[in-house]
Amino acid sequence: MLTLLRSGFSHVPPREVLQGTDFKKILKTFEALTDLGPELTADHDFRQTARTMLTAIMEAAGAREAALFSFDERRSLLTSVDAQGFALMPDPSVIPLLPRHQHTLTAASGPIVLNSSTHDVFLSSNGNVAPELFKCLCPLKVRGKLTGAIALGRRAGDALYEEDALDALKMLSHYIALAIQNHTLGQTLAQRVSENLRLVASLHGFYDNALEAFTTAIDVKHVNIHGHSLRVGRYSQAIGEAMGMNPNDAASLRSAAYLHDIGMVAVDRRLFEKPSELDQNEYREMRDHTVVGHQIVSQVQFPWPQIPEIVRWHHERADGSGYPDGLHGDEIPQAVRIVALAETFDAMTSERAYRDRLSVGAALQELIRLAPQKYDPEVLHALLIQVRRDAIGTNRLPLLDPTMMNLSAVDVDQLASNLQQRVKQSNSSTP
Ligand SMILES: [Fe+2]
């Protein structure tokens, strides 16, 4: 600060030749600078900082009217961030600059006193404020680039801006320019982040729509599996949320779960219609949908990382009885355990050619019986949480088709207690 002050005051004549009024003005400028320092580094709202800066400028330059502008290079536009003293000044005031205005303002080495013949050299009259209001203009620059401008209106008694006022203005303008640039950079950054987020959101929307259409095509083989993959996606997302996943991860899990049965496209349609149990060859073909699906998705760079493992392993079971790789317990990633349970729950509660569908309560009871040997009890507990929310009507969108729901909150609590018992039993019987 001291160095800056020294350089700022380097043009000041020796003290003995200063007149009383000059000395007072220099003191005023010094005062303005000392006020501005803490203000510029404080965590204030920018409008408040702008007001303090403009007040300091007006005091130092003896102006009754003043406005502070920031410059948007992309739109070539000066926009007021604060104005004081003008009777008629729109908020914000905007002044579009033509290339020649931008050039002359950038080339100016300090404040310029404006008159009727120079207004048009520096400012255009295309904005919502008349340049004639301004008697003095000081471009704000950082490293030779225009960041804004200070415009002064009338002084007390309509006096002209003299050299001492211009000197004070020039000295202050360096600090103001930096403050404006910091603010503009912050705003640009915030704007870019929000634009990127919007873009990502629209991409997600696009992917979701495309994926839902594609998912419907996976389940087209037979009427009994229509909607299966979409429901598994929805159940997986709900389970993920009930397990504390953040909304983005849960949405990503839904997208991945949509594709879990993609390998079914290679399975003979006849197998879905068969009213009896599949023979050995048919069963092998059916279970190969995991490996075929994995081959398909491994060729593609999806924006959801868990897709290959979900496609390959969603028929793996904790006790190693699943396929295709016979994984055990924690070898099966959590996202896969969620989709595995969601898929079984949907299969149990849907009609099949060889059996009737189970009610929601019966399906949950059967899953409890199979936990923890086949299914992860924490995942099942999360599904119970969501079913209970359906029962008491607190889910924004119901998880289950209302025609399926046959449980009260008390029933679900009973199922949760059964699950707890089941896990306890299993822990005590494990050596
Ligand atoms: Fe499957």
Side-chain angles (χ1 to χ4, degrees):
M1 183 73 162
L2 202 59
T3 320
L4 289 167
L5 283 175
R6 279 202 196 109
S7 67
F9 281 103
S10 60
H11 61 289
V12 175
R15 174 144 184 201
E16 58 274 18
V17 297
L18 284 173
Q19 301 300 310
T21 49
D22 291 335
F23 191 63
K24 259 192 215 157
K25 276 168 190 160
I26 289 171
L27 273 180
K28 233 175 194 175
T29 310
F30 181 77
E31 212 180 309
L33 280 170
T34 49
D35 284 352
L36 272 184
E39 186 64 35
L40 295 183
T41 51
D43 185 23
H44 283 159
D45 169 63
F46 185 69
R47 279 193 85 93
Q48 190 187 329
T49 306
R51 175 129 300 215
T52 311
M53 291 194 290
L54 201 57
T55 306
I57 292 163
M58 291 170 80
E59 279 178 15
R64 279 199 293 131
E65 303 165 330
L68 180 58
F69 290 89
S70 68
F71 180 61
D72 178 343
E73 193 179 6
R74 200 164 47 92
R75 294 189 295 160
S76 197
L77 190 72
L78 285 171
T79 305
S80 67
V81 287
D82 191 36
Q84 293 179 45
F86 292 105
L88 283 174
M89 185 86 173
D91 181 23
S93 300
V94 289
I95 305 177
L97 296 183
L98 297 173
R100 65 185 170 90
H101 296 132
Q102 196 179 330
H103 177 72
T104 48
L105 268 178
T106 309
S109 61
I112 310 129
V113 175
L114 298 174
N115 55 44
S116 54
S117 60
T118 54
H119 277 122
D120 181 52
V121 176
F122 295 98
L123 294 171
S124 86
S125 52
N126 296 336
N128 61 359
V129 60
E132 292 74 20
L133 284 178
F134 307 135
K135 310 299 172 200
C136 176
L137 190 67
C138 180
L140 298 173
K141 293 182 286 183
V142 175
R143 286 187 286 277
K145 284 188 88 177
L146 193 65
T147 64
I150 301 164
L152 302 181
R154 287 169 300 176
R155 299 183 93 182
D158 282 344
L160 292 175
Y161 287 98
E162 290 152 355
E163 208 176 326
D164 57 343
L166 300 182
D167 283 346
L169 186 57
K170 185 175 182 182
M171 198 187 319
L172 290 175
S173 69
H174 302 301
Y175 302 97
I176 314 283
L178 277 174
I180 294 272
Q181 192 205 28
N182 272 347
H183 174 65
T184 311
L185 284 178
Q187 270 195 325
T188 309
L189 198 63
Q191 197 181 343
R192 290 214 177 128
V193 168
S194 106
E195 277 168 10
N196 283 342
L197 283 176
R198 262 206 307 276
L199 190 65
V200 168
S202 71
L203 273 180
H204 275 165
F206 168 76
Y207 271 125
D208 276 356
N209 291 344
L211 203 58
E212 281 177 24
F214 186 71
T215 303
T216 309
I218 297 173
D219 298 337
V220 85
K221 295 234 161 170
H222 191 265
V223 67
N224 284 344
I225 57 167
H226 285 182
H228 167 70
S229 300
L230 286 176
R231 285 192 299 272
V232 171
R234 209 172 70 231
Y235 296 162
S236 300
Q237 180 181 21
I239 292 170
E241 280 172 355
M243 292 180 80
M245 264 186 198
N246 75 46
N248 280 345
D249 289 345
S252 160
L253 176 61
R254 179 195 60 202
S255 302
Y258 279 165
L259 294 180
H260 75 279
D261 264 348
I262 190 170
M264 287 294 191
V265 293
V267 176
D268 191 331
R269 173 189 291 262
R270 192 178 47 80
L271 301 191
F272 296 94
E273 295 161 356
K274 194 172 174 191
S276 55
E277 295 269 334
L278 302 180
D279 68 29
Q280 216 176 6
N281 284 340
E282 290 166 336
Y283 184 58
R284 192 178 308 120
E285 181 179 341
M286 187 62 98
R287 51 186 273 174
D288 275 353
H289 78 278
T290 51
V291 178
V292 172
H294 185 245
Q295 281 165 357
I296 296 172
V297 294
S298 298
Q299 322 280 328
V300 186
Q301 275 278 316
F302 285 102
W304 311 285
Q306 314 100 327
I307 289 182
E309 58 193 38
I310 286 174
V311 169
R312 185 176 182 95
W313 289 333
H314 66 274
H315 286 283
E316 297 290 351
R317 300 293 177 253
D319 60 2
S321 62
Y323 59 85
D325 298 317
L327 302 182
H328 286 81
D330 287 346
E331 288 175 326
I332 309 169
Q334 187 190 55
V336 179
R337 299 202 295 269
I338 293 175
V339 176
L341 184 93
E343 170 172 68
T344 309
F345 176 68
D346 184 66
M348 285 176 169
T349 52
S350 303
E351 196 83 36
R352 287 289 180 269
Y354 51 90
R355 62 154 173 80
D356 290 337
R357 73 177 190 86
L358 292 181
S359 69
V360 171
L364 290 171
Q365 191 54 59
E366 178 62 4
L367 287 170
I368 290 168
R369 191 183 68 77
L370 296 170
Q373 279 72 25
K374 307 275 184 198
Y375 299 100
D376 182 339
E378 278 181 42
V379 175
L380 182 48
H381 188 252
L383 177 60
L384 289 175
I385 290 173
Q386 291 291 13
V387 172
R388 192 180 195 282
R389 286 180 187 160
D390 264 14
I392 57 174
T394 54
N395 264 335
R396 196 169 46 84
L397 288 173
L399 176 71
L400 303 171
D401 184 325
T403 59
M404 290 167 66
M405 188 58 180
N406 67 335
L407 299 173
S408 67
V410 176
D411 296 332
V412 183
D413 291 343
Q414 183 57 54
L415 287 168
S417 149
N418 295 351
L419 174 62
Q420 221 171 11
Q421 279 297 116
R422 177 84 193 126
V423 174
K424 254 192 216 157
Q425 271 171 14
S426 163
N427 286 345
S428 61
S429 64
T430 310

